[in-house]
Amino acid sequence: MVDPMTKYSGFSLFKHALKHHEDWQKTWRSPRPKKSYDVIIVGGGGHGLATAYYLAKEHGITNVAVLEKGYLGGGNTARNTTIVRSNYLWDESSKLYDHALDLWYGLSQELNYNVMFSSRGVLNLGHNLQDMRDIERRVNANRLNGIDAAVLNTQEVKEIVPIINDSADIRYPILGASWQKTGGVARHDAVAWGFARGADQLGVDLIQQCEVTDIVVEQGAVTGVQTNQGFIGAKKVGCVTAGNSGVVAAMADIRLPVESHPLQALVSEPIKPIIDTVVMSNAVHAYVSQSDKGDLVIGAGIDAYNGYGQRGSMHIIEHTLSAICELFPMFSRVRMNRTWGGIVDTCPDACPIISKTSVNGLYFNCGWGTGGFKATPGSGHVFAHTVAHDDPHPLAAPFSIDRFNTGHLIDEHGAAGVAH
Amino acid sequence: MLHIYCPYCEEMREEEEFSYSGEAHIVRPKDPKSLTDDEWGDYLFFRTNPRGLHHEMWHHSAGCRRYFNVTRDTSTYRIYETYKIGEKPIVTGEKS
């Protein structure tokens, strides 16, 4: 059985300090898989763990396993640039992402785990007249949907980010920006760990090093999964496997409208605090923020080709850094520490798929592409509802896989932040 | 950075000269009006997206500006062959 959770607090920190921090409770158990579960979640990243947490917390379904082929939060959860915002254009997506943003605001308290959410604001720069028209349109749409948004001019951008290059003589001058003050960044690992700890406490089995090799379907309904630890039965299976979604879907003979691409990011050496917000530019294709550790966290665009290799081509990084150096000339001598790639599952309309499938009891939550991190709590919340009730959450309903056949696409390429 | 052999220029060139154009051998339906919504959606949006061998179309956009096909492994990124439009791939992953 699950031992009652040690509540993290200033007092518990003090108490454990007296014992040299040597007897902290393990953050989660590592149980052997049972023979069967009510629900199996495939994929132990942020979205999958959040799904398991909300299944147990809000729907009382605790006979749940999360199967993860590597370690928890070791995929895209560990590879993103941690930006949180909700300034999407269309009603469907802005409601979904704003639902997530609402959850971000209480998440550390909800989970009793510091996810280090910092609402430091997000700027999306515009560099030409068309950019600015698009920004005006998006900000107006956001405000109609009750999302905090504003259009800034060059001087206002300069006031928020004094180190930015506001010269009119650069190749892509800054004409203004959209500004979501309630957006920001969070600690990516902590989000996964917080949801994992919360789910574990509610009785969810988190099983690592457990790779699903087949989804077993009998008479049109899912009965369980084959794994490298043997067969595990399940009444319902929810797949939350990001870049590998197509591979997992193929196990159940389902085709998805997603393509997997490498998306690269990099961090610099740690430097003193220099930028206290998030700056994104879709047009010159770069985004940057500074972590609490001091490194600049920089994101690039996707590599155009399909790839599962968790790495991309160098010229993509070069392109991003040249844009960063133009926007922030003072960064030109900062050395970069590490670069890596994550595999993002991009949809043709840059929106996710949160959906039932043609197989009874099989659900997919995928297609988040380049921008899934910001949605982590909201994604898990609406997907848990979808799985628990076998009926999409009202916010998830527009993101059914059927939209690619009905034609009701939700084109978010403009707001997705990363050009495709 | 990939090095890609353009079958028209007959030269090995760097990836930056090329642009990627997605899965190869997708044929536009001859009579789109006769298709159901499911078939049309499938043609437009659904792709095989394999982890492994992938036949894909590339465009030599800063070179001869012609389209050709590439057989590439999407997990190792190794390119097995490039071939002209209209030709069939030799490497298919199926045992002969």
Side-chain angles (χ1 to χ4, degrees):
Chain A
M1 276 318 289
V2 185
D3 293 332
M5 175 165 68
T6 307
K7 195 168 160 35
Y8 291 157
S9 64
F11 177 70
S12 71
L13 189 64
F14 176 72
K15 200 175 76 180
H16 281 87
L18 298 176
K19 297 182 192 166
H20 307 283
H21 297 295
E22 279 172 358
D23 64 343
W24 280 100
Q25 183 188 28
K26 282 206 168 153
T27 314
W28 50 76
R29 300 162 293 136
S30 293
R32 308 266 315 151
K34 290 191 250 176
K35 282 206 177 80
S36 74
Y37 291 91
D38 290 340
V39 179
I40 284 178
I41 300 297
V42 184
H47 289 230
L49 294 164
T51 306
Y53 174 77
Y54 288 115
L55 271 174
K57 176 85 192 304
E58 306 234 323
H59 305 283
I61 302 173
T62 54
N63 188 19
V64 176
V66 177
L67 309 183
E68 166 55 49
K69 73 171 175 178
Y71 56 93
L72 298 179
N76 289 353
T77 303
R79 293 161 191 274
N80 64 84
T81 49
T82 79
I83 298 168
V84 176
R85 61 188 174 90
S86 67
N87 52 355
Y88 280 68
L89 177 65
W90 298 103
D91 293 354
E92 295 89 343
S93 33
S94 60
K95 288 196 173 100
L96 180 65
Y97 288 102
D98 213 39
H99 176 55
L101 189 61
D102 285 344
L103 292 171
W104 275 113
Y105 269 82
L107 199 58
S108 291
Q109 286 73 25
E110 160 93 21
L111 297 175
N112 179 232
Y113 201 100
N114 188 3
V115 300
M116 295 165 72
F117 175 62
S118 156
S119 55
R120 57 183 66 181
V122 176
L123 285 164
N124 291 83
L125 302 179
H127 300 274
N128 54 49
L129 280 179
Q130 188 58 48
D131 277 1
M132 291 313 296
R133 287 186 194 117
D134 290 342
I135 283 171
E136 297 255 2
R137 180 188 178 202
R138 187 154 50 79
V139 164
N140 285 332
N142 289 158
R143 295 174 79 125
L144 287 171
N145 276 320
I147 293 168
D148 129 75
V151 180
L152 306 186
N153 62 27
T154 313
Q155 285 70 40
E156 289 165 327
V157 171
K158 183 81 175 167
E159 277 163 29
I160 293 172
V161 191
I163 58 166
I164 209 161
N165 183 359
D166 63 344
S167 162
D169 296 330
I170 57 178
R171 176 67 184 83
Y172 298 103
I174 295 161
L175 301 189
S178 74
W179 170 236
Q180 185 176 17
K181 208 175 170 182
T182 49
V185 293
R187 172 91 173 104
H188 51 346
D189 293 327
V191 178
W193 298 336
F195 275 120
R197 174 167 171 264
D200 177 77
Q201 275 299 316
L202 294 166
V204 172
D205 284 356
L206 309 175
I207 298 159
Q208 305 183 67
Q209 309 291 321
C210 181
E211 180 169 4
V212 171
T213 52
D214 198 13
I215 295 173
V216 184
V217 177
E218 282 169 25
Q219 294 170 340
V222 72
T223 58
V225 294
Q226 283 292 349
T227 73
N228 58 356
Q229 301 188 22
F231 176 80
I232 307 176
K235 292 176 197 147
K236 293 177 175 178
V237 174
C239 300
V240 200
T241 50
N244 280 304
S245 293
V247 177
V248 175
M251 294 173 187
D253 293 323
I254 291 174
R255 262 156 74 88
L256 296 173
V258 298
E259 288 198 292
S260 300
H261 295 275
L263 174 62
Q264 300 186 75
L266 57 159
V267 292
S268 74
E269 59 190 340
I271 54 177
K272 287 192 173 179
I274 188 70
I275 178 165
D276 63 357
T277 184
V278 182
V279 178
M280 310 181 69
S281 169
N282 212 346
V284 299
H285 220 126
Y287 37 104
V288 62
S289 64
Q290 190 172 18
S291 76
D292 293 343
K293 209 164 52 175
D295 13 7
L296 300 173
V297 182
I298 295 170
I302 59 168
D303 283 66
Y305 50 74
N306 290 28
Y308 286 86
Q310 294 187 321
R311 63 191 191 282
S313 295
M314 198 59 193
H315 69 272
I316 303 285
I317 298 279
E318 238 180 328
H319 178 88
T320 293
L321 288 179
S322 62
I324 291 284
C325 288
E326 186 177 74
L327 291 175
F328 303 98
M330 67 170 348
F331 290 164
S332 64
R333 285 179 189 78
V334 176
R335 283 166 298 192
M336 293 299 142
N337 247 354
R338 290 175 285 126
T339 99
W340 63 89
I343 303 306
V344 298
D345 42 339
T346 56
C347 263
D349 59 354
C351 274
I353 296 167
I354 309 166
S355 186
K356 295 165 70 171
T357 65
S358 52
V359 177
N360 283 336
L362 182 64
Y363 309 84
F364 268 87
N365 181 0
C366 63
W368 289 92
T370 57
F373 177 76
K374 65 174 81 67
T376 305
S379 160
H381 190 257
V382 299
F383 190 52
H385 179 106
T386 306
V387 172
H389 296 276
D390 190 38
D391 194 36
H393 185 283
L395 291 176
F399 297 94
S400 156
I401 194 169
D402 295 338
R403 72 179 190 272
F404 298 96
N405 297 116
T406 63
H408 196 137
L409 301 186
I410 306 159
D411 180 8
E412 283 292 359
H413 284 283
V418 171
H420 296 276
Chain B
M1 173 88 70
L2 302 176
H3 286 110
I4 302 172
Y5 182 82
C6 173
Y8 295 103
C9 301
E10 299 182 341
E11 266 185 63
M12 207 68 157
R13 309 293 296 180
E14 290 190 342
E15 183 191 337
E16 280 179 286
E17 287 189 16
F18 300 88
S19 48
Y20 181 71
S21 299
E23 189 175 335
H25 306 300
I26 294 173
V27 182
R28 185 183 166 87
K30 281 217 171 72
D31 182 15
K33 282 182 190 164
S34 69
L35 261 52
T36 63
D37 284 354
D38 280 356
E39 289 167 332
W40 183 244
D42 203 61
Y43 159 69
L44 281 183
F45 299 122
F46 287 72
R47 298 291 178 263
T48 53
N49 192 29
R51 187 184 186 116
L53 276 193
H54 190 226
H55 303 294
E56 57 198 25
M57 202 156 58
W58 285 77
H59 183 227
H60 197 178
S61 41
C64 65
R65 306 198 64 184
R66 297 176 79 172
Y67 285 95
F68 60 95
N69 293 326
V70 174
T71 305
R72 191 176 58 93
D73 188 306
T74 58
S75 54
T76 62
Y77 299 170
R78 180 177 164 189
I79 292 172
Y80 287 91
E81 60 178 339
T82 60
Y83 52 100
K84 294 174 183 170
I85 295 292
E87 293 178 352
K88 289 215 159 65
I90 296 164
V91 182
T92 59
E94 290 162 17
K95 287 177 189 146
S96 53

